[in-house]
Amino acid sequence: MPASQIDRLRAIVSELLAARGDTAAFSETESLFLGGRLDSMAATHLIIALETEFNLEIGGPDFDVSALDSIAEMTDLLA
Amino acid sequence: MACEQAIPVPHAPSPGPVARIIAWRRAWLGIDHNPATLRLAQTIRGNGLLHLAFFALLWGAGLGHILLALSIGTLILCAIFPSRRIQLIGATGMLSLVIQPYRFKEFPELSARLFAKAGFDAISPALLSSAVAALFLLLCWSMLKLQAESRGNIVGQRPFLAQVILLFGLLGAGASGLCSPVATAFLWAFIGVFATNFWTLGYAFANLRSKAPAPALTHVGFLRPVWNGNMVPVGKGIAFLRKFEAKDDEALAATRLKALKLIVWALILQRLDWHLGDLLESRWGIPDLRHALLAQGGAMKLGAGMSWLVLLSHYFLKVVEVAATGHVVVATVRMAGFAIPRNSVSPFASRTIAEFWNRYFYYFKELLVDFFFFPAFTRFFKKNTKIRIAFATFCAASIGNCIFHLMNEIVWIPEKGLRHVIQGFESYLLYSLILASGIIISQLRNHRPKPEDGFLRYQLLPRIGVTLFFCIAIVFDDTRPGIALSDRFSFILGLTGF
């Protein structure tokens, strides 16, 4: 996955965190949802962003929101 | 030689009692980060003391004898063989399910009456229920294996839908009255076991889709881990637990110290709930909400001030009760070595209705989100974001919420009929619609309180708004029949002084 796309992913997550008053740094593998930094409402915004900006088709019984738990997992999903 | 005169060094003032209490509290809250306590908790002596203290507190939490024995036994085994904790929890989980097949307290008596009616006088109904539970485990294992090996069937493609269809099909057969007494007794015993493990089975199916799924048999063991006393699957499934499993000795020691802290807090909240509830009712004459609503239907209507006291105290005590119960369960999971998130985290600090649900009852919210919100969100109204969010929220907060609570009521169907259950459910149906509406509005509102809005608009008003919403909504949060909707509305109207 190109570095520019990973940067964009990080920017989206940073915006979601900032909207919740969280401006602390996060690593590639940090658990964002299970770790409690983002909630299910943030997940919906993240899914919409991935669909519109990365043309990701999310749906079907196999989708599991834990696939979006960290930048590394999102990168895997988009690869 | 001049003799140097000793200059008296002023002693630092000894801290007052309040400062000492604050320092103790800080030290207590930091025990899971304190290097000395972490080292001690990794020794055999320290670990033993930690477990003994935890068991004493668990006993103080008032668990039933069987559940307490199973929990203590499982935790001892996990302490002795930490690398085998998954298998051990699975084994005691299966034992727990066979020994106590039902989570609804009325189901054992119902089952006993149905088996007696069917002529099973010589065999203990508890034994028959255990046999049905063993059969259920076997069936789950077969279905999970089928899902793991092949997805070309309905169970493999839409496992949760298959579960819903099967449960409602069985309920229809049971409620129809067409079965013989023997078939009826076994059918309702099976429904009781299936319904009580419905959500954990759903998580087992979902967990099989993870990248490195556990074997089907392990999932069967986690249908009823010993800590799950009620129907909400705290700790979700095995994939979720594994993400929080302690990876080394220090992490394990920290997780167990967190467990100790949490169970102490749980007991404080539990005692607060018991004593304050007692004080409010017997000493200050503030009735509980149900009695106040029943009085509304008679001649003894309460004044506006007393009605507000009833509502606020009911809301406060309910939140405290949920927190205390959830903390005991989460503490047990943590003691077993999984540092999972708490079920309740400062719910009164919530500034939005949606945030309240996240903070008040995390695992119930997760259940609704996992089984209803995301499946709807990823399938429907993809072109319109607002409708998409609103519909998915409605599916979770209203449809999912009602299905979950309806399952708690199925115990009344065999003897009182489906009509009785549905009549009692009208109030909860309205509650779920109010709740869904509140959460939808809360999610779609563009303005969220920010610190720069000032104390009043950031700290105070949003929290008052959340409290008022839930205080009003809670009037309808009842699945028991006996109180007319008109009396509930009349009570709310009475809050305004009319």
Side-chain angles (χ1 to χ4, degrees):
Chain A
M1 189 175 183
S4 60
Q5 288 198 339
I6 296 175
D7 289 344
R8 181 62 198 133
L9 259 184
R10 291 192 69 87
I12 292 168
V13 171
S14 297
E15 281 168 28
L16 290 171
L17 287 168
R20 280 150 186 80
D22 183 348
T23 50
F26 57 93
S27 69
E28 294 287 303
T29 53
E30 182 169 347
S31 171
L32 297 164
F33 293 99
L34 295 176
R37 292 184 69 177
L38 291 177
D39 57 18
S40 42
M41 193 59 212
T44 61
H45 292 300
L46 186 59
I47 291 170
I48 292 166
L50 293 177
E51 285 174 344
T52 52
E53 295 193 34
F54 294 87
N55 293 321
L56 182 70
E57 188 59 37
I58 288 178
D62 279 340
F63 174 71
D64 177 7
V65 75
S66 69
L68 308 175
D69 197 36
S70 66
I71 293 288
E73 280 165 303
M74 286 178 228
T75 312
D76 284 350
L77 192 69
L78 292 168
Chain B
M1 193 171 143
C3 183
E4 282 183 48
Q5 202 174 353
I7 301 167
V9 178
H11 286 287
S14 61
V18 176
R20 269 207 299 272
I21 290 170
I22 291 171
W24 287 340
R25 180 179 176 274
R26 195 178 299 135
W28 168 249
L29 292 179
I31 54 165
D32 51 318
H33 298 291
N34 183 328
T37 47
L38 280 172
R39 271 197 306 275
L40 179 67
Q42 289 173 67
T43 63
I44 292 174
R45 190 169 64 104
N47 195 12
L49 283 171
L50 190 57
H51 275 82
L52 279 177
F54 188 86
F55 296 156
L57 292 162
L58 201 57
W59 174 73
L63 299 186
H65 297 308
I66 296 174
L67 191 58
L68 182 68
L70 280 167
S71 300
I72 291 176
T74 307
L75 291 175
I76 290 173
L77 287 171
C78 288
I80 299 170
F81 308 105
S83 62
R84 296 261 166 215
R85 65 169 72 88
I86 297 277
Q87 292 83 349
L88 291 167
I89 294 167
T92 56
M94 283 192 253
L95 186 66
S96 159
L97 203 153
V98 172
I99 294 175
Q100 290 189 310
Y102 313 115
R103 278 180 182 146
F104 314 109
K105 63 178 179 200
E106 295 89 0
F107 231 103
E109 290 89 31
L110 167 77
S111 195
R113 285 196 296 275
L114 291 176
F115 278 125
K117 212 170 161 184
F120 288 96
D121 296 325
I123 312 169
S124 148
L127 199 66
L128 288 165
S129 295
S130 292
V132 171
L135 175 72
F136 172 77
L137 284 175
L138 203 63
L139 278 174
C140 287
W141 183 49
S142 314
M143 283 163 69
L144 289 164
K145 264 181 85 71
L146 193 68
Q147 153 87 348
E149 288 163 10
S150 156
R151 293 192 183 180
N153 49 62
I154 186 174
V155 179
Q157 286 174 348
R158 303 290 295 274
F160 184 65
L161 186 64
Q163 264 185 254
V164 173
I165 292 169
L166 179 61
L167 180 66
F168 281 91
L170 291 173
L171 280 173
S176 69
L178 298 173
C179 304
S180 68
V182 174
T184 301
F186 278 103
L187 182 61
W188 280 103
F190 188 83
I191 289 171
V193 179
F194 185 21
T196 53
N197 298 288
F198 187 83
W199 305 102
T200 45
L201 183 60
Y203 273 122
F205 276 121
N207 284 181
L208 280 177
R209 294 194 192 121
S210 60
K211 281 176 195 160
L217 190 61
T218 310
H219 285 292
V220 173
F222 276 75
L223 290 176
R224 175 76 68 83
V226 288
W227 50 73
N228 259 353
N230 63 28
M231 277 178 64
V232 178
V234 173
K236 297 167 91 172
I238 195 163
F240 185 83
L241 287 169
R242 273 180 164 171
K243 291 199 176 195
F244 293 95
E245 191 172 5
K247 300 286 184 293
D248 54 46
D249 290 347
E250 189 174 326
L252 184 58
T255 305
R256 285 174 176 158
L257 289 165
K258 276 180 199 290
L260 188 70
K261 278 196 315 188
L262 194 60
I263 200 163
V264 168
W265 182 228
L267 261 66
I268 291 170
L269 291 177
Q270 197 182 54
R271 266 46 179 188
L272 173 73
D273 180 36
W274 292 352
H275 295 303
L276 189 62
D278 192 42
L279 199 70
L280 286 169
E281 201 160 350
S282 59
R283 193 72 66 83
W284 296 340
I286 301 172
D288 68 16
L289 182 60
R290 190 164 173 86
H291 283 111
L293 289 169
L294 285 167
Q296 197 69 29
M300 294 286 289
K301 289 183 173 56
L302 302 175
M306 181 57 91
S307 297
W308 274 111
L309 281 175
V310 168
L311 263 192
L312 288 167
S313 55
H314 181 79
Y315 169 69
F316 178 77
L317 290 176
K318 183 162 184 172
V319 173
V320 170
E321 186 193 354
V322 167
T325 312
H327 287 345
V328 172
V329 180
V330 171
T332 310
V333 181
R334 287 182 176 180
M335 202 64 190
F338 306 95
I340 61 165
R342 283 162 54 167
N343 189 46
S344 300
V345 182
S346 312
F348 295 120
S350 310
R351 291 189 181 86
T352 65
I353 295 165
E355 185 190 358
F356 179 84
W357 265 96
N358 217 28
R359 289 175 168 274
Y360 163 61
F361 209 147
Y362 176 75
Y363 290 100
F364 181 49
K365 184 229 63 172
E366 282 291 290
L367 180 153
L368 297 178
V369 165
D370 291 335
F371 290 110
F372 298 95
F373 183 89
F374 280 123
F377 186 76
T378 53
R379 283 187 183 92
F380 305 111
F381 303 109
K382 286 181 148 189
K383 298 268 185 276
N384 187 318
T385 305
K386 286 190 175 175
I387 295 177
R388 189 180 183 186
I389 292 174
F391 181 70
T393 305
F394 169 75
C395 287
S398 193
I399 297 175
N401 194 352
C402 280
I403 290 176
F404 180 90
H405 281 88
L406 199 56
M407 280 178 163
N408 284 327
E409 304 304 314
I410 59 173
V411 66
W412 306 113
I413 297 176
E415 292 177 339
K416 294 190 176 177
L418 193 59
R419 196 191 174 106
H420 170 88
V421 171
I422 291 170
Q423 274 175 349
F425 213 72
E426 61 179 13
S427 178
Y428 199 86
L429 190 65
L430 186 59
Y431 167 75
S432 78
L433 291 172
I434 296 169
L435 185 66
S437 309
I439 298 175
I440 289 169
I441 293 167
S442 166
Q443 285 179 322
L444 296 183
R445 267 183 74 194
N446 285 325
H447 177 75
R448 283 174 179 269
K450 295 184 188 75
E452 51 269 30
D453 294 339
F455 178 80
L456 193 69
R457 288 185 178 181
Y458 180 66
Q459 301 283 8
L460 201 61
L461 291 178
R463 286 171 178 145
I464 291 175
V466 171
T467 303
L468 283 178
F469 174 81
F470 280 100
C471 277
I472 300 297
I474 219 167
V475 173
F476 300 96
D477 178 8
D478 194 356
T479 53
R480 292 169 293 177
I483 299 171
L485 271 182
S486 57
D487 290 336
R488 296 182 194 270
F489 280 114
S490 166
F491 180 84
I492 290 174
L493 201 63
L495 293 168
T496 61
F498 288 103

